[in-house]
Amino acid sequence: MHGFLVLFGVLVLVFLLFNVLPGDPARLMMGQRVNQKSLDIIHKDMGLDEPVYNRFLLYVNDLSPIAIYNESATNSHLYLDPEKYSHTIKVFKFNPNRTLVIKFPYLRRSYQSREKVIDIIDSALPNTAVLAFSAIIIASILGIIMGIIAALYKDSIYDKVSIVFSVLGLAGPSFFTGLIIAWLFGHVLNRYTGLNITGNLFIIDADGNKILQLKNLILPALTLGIRPLAIIVQLTRNSMLQVFTKDYIRTAFAKGLKLRTIVTRHALKNMLNPVITAISGWFASLIAGAVFVEYIFGWEGIGKNIVDALGTFDMPVIMGIILITSVLFVIINILVDISYGLLDPRIRIQ
């Protein structure tokens, strides 16, 4: 229920931001060729000639899986356009023209390319997901290992270096870190690393075949993973130190168990909850926050798409990406809540 309320709040906020704030997307599309007659035609085609509350009702109707279908509609005002929707299941007929139907949510079409927003997201989201997943895997593995070592050797030189690294990792903005990493490893040290400043997950050869290029993933994933890595290192260190004060850990030491056994079988499982919270939160944030990293490295994901859409005020693309990202964020957090009970039997999902 809470997740639904969050999504509805995001929907309302996003709609108001891009439908109430100053700026006419039709004028932006036409540029210097603007004239009133053309503006009127485009406004009607986009539904911008309707009052704001009517546009909001239409938008909710488009997104809702249960919606009103108007079989006689010739435009997109207030009801579903028969030419834009497919795979509908009719539930209840109000009158000869209007029917309650079940359908897939419809995210409109791009103002610029006229391509369906869902198709734009479908082609870009896998790239962003691969980038975010790679970044969080790198950050999680390295962060947990570095944090455990820092806890085991508390107050050592390594521990102090890890603290400094965490502070620097959090202090550096993604766009600045990305530029430094791209310049250093993609340009200065290119002859040694073989890495490019820009590139995508796949390239198209002369025969039109897709060729996987995993090396293009390294620099953007490293850049995107630095901030969560810094957080995970410190969380793991602090959680491990706290667990080491528990009676069952002291008992394990008293029994003469090896340090590796105590860490892997007793301490690790009980200190993972705060770390998993950070990992899950950062993973959801990385999907939404990959904008600068994707733009710097030319990575064809939703981050780059949203930057391009902002430049042309392509509202359906911007709104669609934000809504899809919000849905992913809510789903990930629900999965994390479920994982708590699996990792720690003392926690029960109510």
Side-chain angles (χ1 to χ4, degrees):
M1 183 61 182
H2 290 164
F4 175 79
L5 293 176
V6 168
L7 292 178
F8 185 75
V10 171
L11 187 154
V12 173
L13 181 61
V14 169
F15 179 86
L16 292 177
L17 282 175
F18 292 100
N19 284 270
V20 177
L21 291 180
D24 188 346
R27 288 183 178 274
L28 292 173
M29 289 173 58
M30 297 185 65
Q32 299 297 326
R33 298 175 290 109
V34 61
N35 62 74
Q36 191 58 48
K37 184 177 180 180
S38 299
L39 280 176
D40 292 340
I41 294 174
I42 295 176
H43 283 161
K44 185 174 181 61
D45 181 59
M46 293 180 177
L48 298 176
D49 58 336
E50 290 283 341
V52 173
Y53 68 87
N54 281 1
R55 279 185 269 160
F56 179 72
L57 290 177
L58 172 62
Y59 194 59
V60 172
N61 200 53
D62 285 346
L63 294 177
S64 175
I66 301 176
I68 298 174
Y69 181 88
N70 188 356
E71 297 180 10
S72 64
T74 57
N75 54 47
S76 60
H77 298 282
L78 297 179
Y79 300 101
L80 303 183
D81 183 346
E83 297 180 357
K84 296 182 179 180
Y85 298 87
S86 59
H87 308 295
T88 58
I89 301 174
K90 295 182 179 180
V91 178
F92 178 76
K93 202 172 188 66
F94 291 104
N95 57 46
N97 293 327
R98 298 176 185 175
T99 306
L100 189 70
V101 298
I102 298 175
K103 64 172 182 63
F104 291 111
Y106 180 65
L107 296 176
R108 307 284 180 87
R109 291 181 179 271
S110 166
Y111 287 165
Q112 299 297 320
S113 66
R114 306 306 297 167
E115 184 180 1
K116 284 186 177 181
V117 173
I118 191 64
D119 292 336
I120 295 174
I121 295 175
D122 183 59
S123 63
L125 184 58
N127 289 339
T128 297
V130 168
L131 176 59
F133 187 75
S134 302
I136 206 64
I137 288 295
I138 293 173
S140 300
I141 294 174
L142 293 180
I144 290 174
I145 293 174
M146 292 170 63
I148 290 174
I149 295 174
L152 295 177
Y153 299 96
K154 181 185 177 183
D155 297 328
S156 65
I157 294 296
Y158 176 83
D159 186 25
K160 294 176 181 178
V161 169
S162 70
I163 294 175
V164 173
F165 169 79
S166 298
V167 173
L168 292 177
L170 286 173
S174 296
F175 66 88
F176 177 76
T177 305
L179 289 174
I180 295 299
I181 289 178
W183 173 77
L184 180 62
F185 295 101
H187 177 67
V188 177
L189 301 177
N190 176 263
R191 67 174 66 181
Y192 306 108
T193 63
L195 301 175
N196 301 318
I197 294 179
T198 60
N200 210 347
L201 189 60
F202 292 95
I203 61 172
I204 308 298
D205 63 11
D207 298 324
N209 300 317
K210 281 187 176 182
I211 301 177
L212 184 64
Q213 295 288 305
L214 287 177
K215 70 175 186 177
N216 291 338
L217 180 62
I218 296 175
L219 294 184
L222 178 62
T223 302
L224 197 60
I226 284 180
R227 299 193 74 188
L229 172 60
I231 288 287
I232 293 171
V233 168
Q234 284 305 301
L235 274 178
T236 303
R237 174 189 178 275
N238 296 337
S239 297
M240 183 64 73
L241 290 176
Q242 186 177 12
V243 168
F244 268 29
T245 64
K246 303 297 183 181
D247 291 338
Y248 64 89
I249 298 294
R250 294 195 186 99
T251 302
F253 275 114
K255 288 181 178 180
L257 295 179
K258 293 181 179 180
L259 180 61
R260 183 177 62 181
T261 302
I262 294 173
V263 171
T264 57
R265 293 189 179 181
H266 300 282
L268 188 60
K269 185 176 181 180
N270 291 285
M271 51 73 64
L272 277 179
N273 275 344
V275 178
I276 289 177
T277 302
I279 291 174
S280 63
W282 272 104
F283 179 65
S285 299
L286 290 181
I287 293 178
V291 176
F292 294 113
V293 174
E294 289 184 359
Y295 198 75
I296 289 171
F297 291 96
W299 190 262
E300 295 293 337
I302 59 174
K304 188 172 183 297
N305 280 347
I306 202 170
V307 171
D308 295 338
L310 283 168
T312 57
F313 209 69
D314 199 343
M315 295 190 299
V317 175
I318 301 169
M319 296 165 70
I321 290 176
I322 293 174
L323 288 174
I324 291 296
T325 304
S326 302
V327 170
L328 292 175
F329 192 93
V330 170
I331 292 174
I332 290 171
N333 280 280
I334 291 174
L335 294 177
V336 170
D337 289 340
I338 295 173
S339 70
Y340 284 161
L342 299 177
L343 288 170
D344 192 341
R346 295 170 297 181
I347 297 177
R348 292 291 180 266
I349 306 298
Q350 300 296 330

